[in-house]
Amino acid sequence: MQSTDIFTCYSISGGGSLVGLGLMSLLRTRQPRVREAVSLYRLAFACLSALLLIQFCPEEWQRPISQFAIGLAVSGVTLLAWAFRQLNGRQTTPLAGWGITGLLTLGLWLTAWMGSDGLFTQAIALAFAFISLWLLFDQGWLILRSPRVARSEMSLLIVAAVFAANWLISLWYVASREGPYPDHWLYAPTWLLPFTGLSFALLPLAVAALAFAIINERLNQQLRARSLSDDLTGALSRRGLRELGQRMLSMLPAEGNPVAVMMIDIDRFRAINHQYGHEVGDEVLREVTQIVRDTLRFDALLARYGGEELTAMLSVKSRLEGRSLAESVRQAIENTPCRTAGGPIKVTASIGLSFLRADGSLEDALARADVRMHEAKRDGRNRVGASELTMGVPAPTTII
């Protein structure tokens, strides 16, 4: 593939990014996690659209413009990885997200300005290989642990794996040779170069389609759950938990992973109502619900079980993972002040934890979790009480 063909691939990539930006602009949602992810997708596609500048700039400006645009493309791909992480419930602080994006982009621009052509070409391959591997392992760890993997999510992993393999080969190739380096900066074996250009051209369209499909799946899940939700918190109602909980169990193999059931009760909630009023108490309940939602995976079922009690259900790999998740929820509630009209209020929660298999009784698991929650309160509050080691056996009298 000649240089002019690679430049055409840049143009296609930039044009596809504008299409992706248009698709993301069509999405409207009130769900904070999805809304933040959509904002990151829009920024990512805006950065990638800078590749159009390479095709239309004057020839004497092509070298600095291409270096500038490729730096923005690195920003765009980094933001895409961040957006998928945000969409699937893995929190990244703005400082970390923007810090990584800025370091990669500024590092590439500084290399273009101060380094040799070979160093800049190596930096491009290194940056894209790092980002694609980060996306592959980060999302692969999350998606493959989910009890149900959607086709769009598996397609995302395949795209990330192919992109990572392409750039790892390119990185090896550019590190083992001394040029000459092409003016389009994509240095790869002759047999791989057409695929490298094609992957660059089609990446924005492929990612936009996958992101759109995954977001629509998330929003459809929310619409299905809304009819079974609690008006105050937006979580499921007790009826919704039973209905969707039974559906979750029916989709799991009988001897598959256990399902963790958490009964979460806000400590001293009545005192909050008495001191600040019921409106502030409602705000605290909404805030705690959001904290729990942000801490657990996107596929977890979260319900308001009654009063100040929340219940969560999700499939886990082991009881150890279930206990770790429950402890993460407890710590998140303890360490995150609730924002209310009466000012920030710190609360804690007592959590009862039980487990069941696909062929177990949800009602029994809820009852065991409730017993453990009350035991946690009696033992001093702000702790996790776990159910018996053997599922289906009556709960023992000591917490383990």
Side-chain angles (χ1 to χ4, degrees):
M1 184 173 284
Q2 302 299 317
S3 297
T4 52
D5 294 326
I6 295 294
F7 289 132
T8 300
C9 289
Y10 287 154
S11 297
I12 295 172
S13 181
S17 299
L18 291 178
V19 174
L21 180 60
L23 283 174
M24 293 300 112
S25 299
L26 296 175
L27 292 172
R28 296 289 185 273
T29 176
R30 295 181 180 179
Q31 212 287 327
R33 183 185 296 171
V34 178
R35 186 170 63 244
E36 291 171 12
V38 169
S39 296
L40 290 171
Y41 284 124
R42 291 170 183 166
L43 286 171
F45 288 125
C47 289
L48 285 166
S49 67
L51 291 168
L52 279 170
L53 297 174
I54 300 175
Q55 184 72 13
F56 299 107
C57 69
E59 187 173 348
E60 61 271 19
W61 286 90
Q62 192 170 72
R63 179 184 174 89
I65 290 296
S66 63
Q67 291 173 333
F68 172 76
I70 290 173
L72 282 181
V74 167
S75 291
V77 176
T78 308
L79 290 169
L80 288 176
W82 183 6
F84 278 113
R85 183 180 175 86
Q86 179 70 25
L87 182 62
N88 284 330
R90 294 175 73 87
Q91 296 296 309
T92 300
T93 64
L95 179 62
W98 290 115
I100 294 172
T101 304
L103 283 174
L104 288 174
T105 306
L106 291 175
L108 202 61
W109 283 340
L110 286 173
T111 304
W113 179 38
M114 304 178 65
S116 63
D117 286 356
L119 188 60
F120 181 61
T121 307
Q122 289 181 37
I124 293 171
L126 180 61
F128 283 121
F130 168 75
I131 299 165
S132 53
L133 283 172
W134 172 32
L135 176 63
L136 176 63
F137 288 111
D138 181 66
Q139 292 302 297
W141 174 257
L142 178 68
I143 292 172
L144 295 179
R145 289 163 62 88
S146 177
R148 184 181 63 173
V149 180
R151 290 182 181 179
S152 55
E153 293 172 332
M154 185 57 68
S155 298
L156 170 64
L157 295 185
I158 293 173
V159 168
V162 171
F163 201 66
N166 177 83
W167 284 106
L168 285 173
I169 295 172
S170 297
L171 180 62
W172 162 78
Y173 189 76
V174 71
S176 61
R177 286 164 174 75
E178 296 183 355
Y181 302 103
D183 54 0
H184 53 64
W185 309 111
L186 297 188
Y187 194 51
T190 304
W191 60 269
L192 184 64
L193 189 58
F195 179 80
T196 303
L198 189 63
S199 66
F200 221 108
L202 298 181
L203 176 69
L205 282 175
V207 170
L210 290 173
F212 198 78
I214 293 172
I215 291 172
N216 273 335
E217 175 64 22
R218 299 287 185 276
L219 296 179
N220 285 333
Q221 289 174 356
Q222 293 171 18
L223 286 174
R224 289 194 297 268
R226 188 170 296 173
S227 62
L228 302 170
S229 64
D230 171 65
D231 291 337
L232 176 62
T233 62
L236 292 170
S237 62
R238 185 183 295 199
R239 172 175 170 265
L241 176 70
R242 286 190 167 93
E243 182 174 323
L244 297 185
Q246 291 294 347
R247 187 181 304 173
M248 173 192 285
L249 294 174
S250 69
M251 296 173 63
L252 297 174
E255 298 302 322
N257 295 333
V259 172
V261 178
M262 302 179 200
M263 193 71 74
I264 306 161
D265 190 87
I266 303 173
D267 295 327
R268 299 184 174 90
F269 188 74
R270 290 182 181 177
I272 295 173
N273 280 333
H274 289 321
Q275 181 175 352
Y276 298 97
H278 288 277
E279 289 187 3
V280 171
D282 289 345
E283 291 182 80
V284 168
L285 187 54
R286 282 193 291 266
E287 286 283 306
V288 171
T289 302
Q290 189 60 50
I291 292 169
V292 177
R293 183 180 287 118
D294 289 340
T295 305
L296 297 177
R297 298 196 313 261
F298 70 88
D299 59 336
L301 298 180
L302 179 62
R304 183 186 180 194
Y305 201 69
E308 68 273 20
E309 281 187 331
L310 302 173
T311 302
M313 276 184 67
L314 71 163
S315 175
V316 292
K317 292 292 185 181
S318 66
R319 289 169 172 266
L320 183 61
E321 183 190 12
R323 291 207 57 160
S324 177
L325 286 170
E327 181 62 24
S328 296
V329 170
R330 187 200 64 78
Q331 291 181 7
I333 294 172
E334 181 183 23
N335 297 328
T336 310
C338 297
R339 297 165 296 179
T340 73
I345 299 175
K346 294 196 69 173
V347 299
T348 61
S350 300
I351 301 176
L353 179 64
S354 67
F355 300 91
L356 77 159
R357 298 283 186 191
D359 55 355
S361 168
L362 177 56
E363 294 301 323
D364 288 348
L366 289 169
R368 293 197 303 273
D370 189 63
V371 168
R372 294 307 180 184
M373 181 269 293
H374 283 95
E375 289 181 348
K377 282 191 174 295
R378 288 199 300 270
D379 287 345
R381 299 184 176 88
N382 190 27
R383 63 190 62 214
V384 175
S387 73
E388 65 281 359
L389 288 175
T390 305
M391 286 177 286
V393 176
T397 56
T398 56
I399 296 176
I400 54 177

